[in-house]
Structures are given as C-alpha cells and as structure tokens.
Amino acid sequence: MTVLLKISLRENGWSRMKKYRSYRLSLGWQILIGLALGIVLGAVFYQNKLAITAMQNIGNMFIGLIQMIVLPIVVSCLTVGIANMGDIKQLGRVGGKTIIYFEIMTTIAIALGLLIGNIFHPGDFINIHQLHSTDISQYVSSAKSASNTGIWSTLMGIIPTNIFKSLSEGDMMPVIFFSVFFGLGTAAIGKQGRIIVDFLDAVSQVMFRVTNWVMHTAPIGVCALIGVTIAQMGLSALAPLGYFIILAYGTMLLFIVVFMGLAARMFGFKLSDLLYVIKDEAVLAFSTASSEAALPRLIDKMDKFGVSQGIVSFVIPTGYTFNLDGSAIYQSLAALFLAQAYHIHLSLGQQITLLVVLMITSKGMAGVPGASFVVLLATVSTIGVPMSGLTFIAGIDRLVDMGRTAVNVVGNSLATVIIGKSEHEFSEDKSQSYLRELRAAKAK
C-alpha cells in the first residue's frame, strides 16, 4: 500500500512537471511580455530620474553581455568557415555576389521610402513650429566627422593596423577582414591548420552555450530598455508624429512582404519559413533596437537552417555594415518628411541625388553609434533642410529604430539563404528537418 502510494505521488508529480513544462513560454513571448511591462513601467516612472538611471543601467548591462559574446563568435565561426571553404576563388565569388545583392536591396529600400513619402506626404500634416525639439548635440559631432571621411578613408578603415585594437573597440569590418585572411592562411598550411580549426570550432560551441545563458536575461533587458525610452519622452510625445511612425512601419512591412517575399520566391523558398525560424531573433532585435543582440543566435540558427557555416559566418556580419534595409527606408522617408514639413519641394533630379547620397553616406557611417540618425544629419543639408529640423524627430528615433532594426535582421537572414542557394551551399533536407523540429517543439 505504501509503495503504491509513493508510485502514485511520483506519477502525479511527474504529470504536474510535464504540464508545467508544456506551459513554459517561448523566448519570443517572454520578450514581448518584457516589452509590455517596460511600457507600463516607463509610463509609471515618467521623468523619474532615479528609475530612469536604474533602467538605463540594467539595459546597458544586457547590451554589454551581448557585445561580450559577439566578436568571439564572429572570429571563431568566420575563421572556421573560411578555412573549411579553403578556396579563395569561391570566397571572391561569394563576396562579389553578397555586395551586389546588398546594393540592389538597399537601393530598392531607399527608392521605396521616397515613393511612399511622395504618395502620402507625411510632412504636410505637421506644424513644425508646434513640435517639441530634442537635443541632438551627441550626434552632430559624429555626423560632421563621418561626412568628412571620404570613400578612401572608409576603405582604409576596413584594414586593421592592430587587430587587438579593433577587437577591443568592436570594429566589425576590420575583424571580418582579418578573420577571412586568417581562415585562408589556416587552410593553406594543411594538416597543421586543423589544430587551429578544431580549437576555434570548440570556442564557437562554448560561445553559443554562453549565448543561451545570456538570452535568459533578455526579457529583463528589453523591459529596462523600452522602459527608459518611454520614461524619458512620455507617451504623449508620440501623438504629433504618430502618422509618420505608422507610415514608417507600414513601409517596412510592405518591403518585407513584397520585395523580400519576391526575392525569396525567385530563389525557390518561402519567406514565411525563414520568418518562422528567426521570429524570436526579430522580436529581440525589435525590442532592444540592437542588431547585435540577435547576431549570435542568428548565426547559429542559419547554420541549423541549412546554410553552410562559411556562408553564414561571412554574410551576416558583413550585412551589419552593408545591408541595412530598414535603416535605408527610414532615412529616405524621414528626409522627405522633413523637406515637406519645411515646405521644400524636391524635384525628381534632387530626389535621385538624395538616393545616391544616402547610398554612399549609409556605407561610410554604418559603424557609428546612432548611425541612421547620423546619416540623416549628414544628408538633409544637401536638400536644404536645416540641421535643427532633426531635433523634432529625434525624440521618436528610438521607437522607429526598433522597427528598422528588426527589418535589418530579417534582411540579413534572407541574404544568407539567397547567397547559400546561389552557391549550392544550402541543404534542403537540413532546412526541412529543422523546421519540423521547431514545429514539434512548439506543439508539445
């Protein structure tokens, strides 16, 4: 009788444990709850300096944890991927395809922003003199220095004179440049290089495990980051610029559904499958307004989705500098919005010039903090908009930044699959197996 009672209690406890596990929320839902809670806390602690400082520090700690693991993952994965690829001709072909694809998608994104701005005229509904201005002094010096650096300075900045300095400063492009050559050198020495490959492969596995631990803190970091934004600006600040925010998000959604959808269909796969795989990372990027927050898990997931490690490790980090579709949409739409608000009519020629200028400046400033806003500062003067005009949309920049960051993450994931398929470095079997695994995990 006692034994039967013990077995019964054990079975009941096990069934309760299984029931508890079945109701565990996914990371995406946890982040969304953190986002909602952050909005509530931001509204409650509006202009409360103590609460703002606390939330700012907690949010910065989470971003710091992400930054801690990003570069070790990029270096280890990229070096191993290039070493396994081992063919400098293939690398050159992959690099050429990647840059061409990035430029095509960026041009389409900028043109779409201009088209939507011309159709809906968001600036016509704004009285620029009734808007509250925001201090943008932190961006002005960055814009001036960045705009004065020409194409040669940008290209020279890619080559690291001291790789350890680049690593300590978090400069992605010099790190990618070094890792590519280090991977090729490792492949060139043959068997001796296997020691390095095995070591760095182990490093990447360790860093992915650390990533999983760090992601447990994501809902807290998200809550703090959105909370401090709302606490500083208040919900009432959104009303005058609400139409512009809605239009920006609508344009980004249109770009994903139509243009990214067409690109995916051209290469024989469904965008919906890709979005299903990276939904948690897109939500994380949206809520933190940081592409880096999603990078470690994005590299891991694209590898599991069927793209070869060499392609994944090269395309995704490079895309963080050269493939910013969401930022391109925002920059062109915001430039046109400000011109309309100041009643400045732009001819077709001026708008084409604006498109070219945005393409150039966005590449030169991708590594600058607040890059999208800095690009606007350096660009709007070419169409006659006073620099002071940007003070009126600086307050909502963070909220739009959330959307454009999510689009950037989706765009880089799409680019990875497309380049992988074009190089026949994409496994359909592995892709379908991973999708079934994710759906089975969700069904439990």
Side-chain angles (χ1 to χ4, degrees):
M1 186 72 177
T2 306
V3 173
L4 289 171
L5 183 61
K6 285 182 178 178
I7 292 171
S8 176
L9 288 171
R10 196 175 298 157
E11 286 177 348
N12 288 336
W14 178 249
S15 66
R16 281 196 299 270
M17 189 181 296
K18 286 203 295 185
K19 188 176 180 181
Y20 165 72
R21 284 179 180 170
S22 67
Y23 283 108
R24 281 185 63 184
L25 293 170
S26 67
L27 178 64
W29 279 110
Q30 291 177 40
I31 291 171
L32 286 174
I33 291 170
L35 181 67
L37 185 59
I39 293 171
V40 172
L41 289 175
V44 170
F45 293 106
Y46 175 61
Q47 295 296 319
N48 186 313
K49 291 184 179 179
L50 190 63
I52 288 172
T53 302
M55 289 188 288
Q56 185 75 65
N57 289 335
I58 292 169
N60 287 341
M61 287 167 67
F62 171 67
I63 296 298
L65 284 170
I66 294 294
Q67 291 172 334
M68 175 185 74
I69 59 182
V70 163
L71 287 178
I73 285 177
V74 170
V75 171
S76 58
C77 288
L78 187 52
T79 303
V80 170
I82 297 299
N84 288 334
M85 189 185 294
D87 184 356
I88 196 166
K89 289 183 179 178
Q90 184 186 2
L91 178 62
R93 190 170 64 247
V94 168
K97 285 181 181 179
T98 301
I99 297 301
I100 291 169
Y101 172 81
F102 287 167
E103 285 302 324
I104 291 171
M105 293 302 281
T106 301
T107 304
I108 292 171
I110 295 172
L112 179 63
L114 292 173
L115 178 65
I116 295 297
N118 279 296
I119 292 172
F120 292 97
H121 291 272
D124 291 351
F125 300 93
I126 294 294
N127 185 338
I128 203 79
H129 303 293
Q130 290 181 352
L131 291 177
H132 298 289
S133 62
T134 305
D135 181 30
I136 59 168
S137 57
Q138 58 177 323
Y139 300 108
V140 172
S141 58
S142 297
K144 287 180 179 177
S145 60
S147 59
N148 290 331
T149 61
I151 186 72
W152 287 110
S153 298
T154 302
L155 291 174
M156 288 174 66
I158 294 174
I159 303 172
T161 53
N162 184 338
I163 186 59
F164 297 104
K165 181 172 181 286
S166 298
L167 284 166
S168 66
E169 293 177 353
D171 290 340
M172 188 70 79
M173 286 310 298
V175 170
I176 292 171
F177 187 88
F178 172 82
S179 299
V180 167
F181 276 90
F182 190 65
L184 288 171
T186 302
I189 62 174
K191 290 183 179 179
Q192 291 173 301
R194 291 308 308 174
I195 300 171
I196 298 172
V197 171
D198 292 341
F199 169 72
L200 288 176
D201 188 46
V203 169
S204 69
Q205 297 303 317
V206 169
M207 295 315 300
F208 284 129
R209 182 61 61 90
V210 173
T211 299
N212 289 333
W213 295 339
V214 170
M215 284 302 107
H216 288 301
T217 67
I220 299 171
V222 166
C223 177
L225 287 167
I226 192 64
V228 72
T229 301
I230 299 299
Q232 286 175 334
M233 61 183 290
L235 293 170
S236 60
L238 305 181
L241 295 165
Y243 181 59
F244 172 72
I245 296 171
I246 292 169
L247 197 60
Y249 273 88
T251 308
M252 292 175 196
L253 185 62
L254 178 67
F255 182 78
I256 291 174
V257 173
V258 176
F259 294 99
M260 288 189 182
L262 284 172
R265 187 172 291 275
M266 283 173 62
F267 284 87
F269 69 99
K270 295 179 181 178
L271 181 64
S272 57
D273 288 344
L274 178 64
L275 293 175
Y276 186 81
V277 169
I278 64 164
K279 61 182 185 301
D280 288 352
E281 288 64 43
V283 170
L284 180 63
F286 173 81
S287 50
T288 59
S290 170
S291 296
E292 282 189 344
L295 188 144
R297 281 172 59 96
L298 207 59
I299 290 176
D300 187 35
K301 279 197 170 181
M302 287 297 96
D303 184 29
K304 290 177 179 176
F305 189 54
V307 186
S308 70
Q309 188 182 31
I311 302 289
V312 172
S313 304
F314 178 80
V315 175
I316 289 181
T318 307
Y320 274 51
T321 300
F322 291 102
N323 189 39
L324 306 172
D325 300 328
S327 300
I329 290 169
Y330 166 75
Q331 288 154 11
S332 57
L333 189 59
L336 210 55
F337 164 79
L338 287 170
Q340 291 166 358
Y342 278 98
H343 305 292
I344 298 170
H345 174 71
L346 298 179
S347 65
L348 179 61
Q350 287 175 309
Q351 292 191 37
I352 292 173
T353 303
L354 177 61
L355 186 148
V356 174
V357 170
L358 283 171
M359 283 179 60
I360 296 170
T361 53
S362 61
K363 299 297 181 290
M365 302 178 201
V368 178
S372 291
F373 201 77
V374 172
V375 169
L376 272 178
L377 276 168
T379 304
V380 292
S381 58
T382 65
I383 56 174
V385 175
M387 190 174 286
S388 59
L390 272 86
T391 62
F392 302 110
I393 62 168
I396 59 146
D397 183 67
R398 165 81 186 190
L399 294 174
V400 184
D401 191 18
M402 294 163 66
R404 67 185 182 232
T405 304
V407 176
N408 293 343
V409 166
V410 174
N412 286 323
S413 304
L414 176 65
T416 306
V417 179
I418 286 176
I419 300 301
K421 276 185 163 286
S422 72
E423 284 292 306
H424 306 290
E425 295 280 348
F426 180 83
S427 170
E428 292 286 352
D429 293 339
K430 191 175 179 181
S431 171
Q432 293 304 313
S433 176
Y434 186 52
L435 279 168
R436 285 194 297 268
E437 181 186 326
L438 289 175
R439 285 168 180 150
K442 185 181 179 181
K444 286 182 179 177

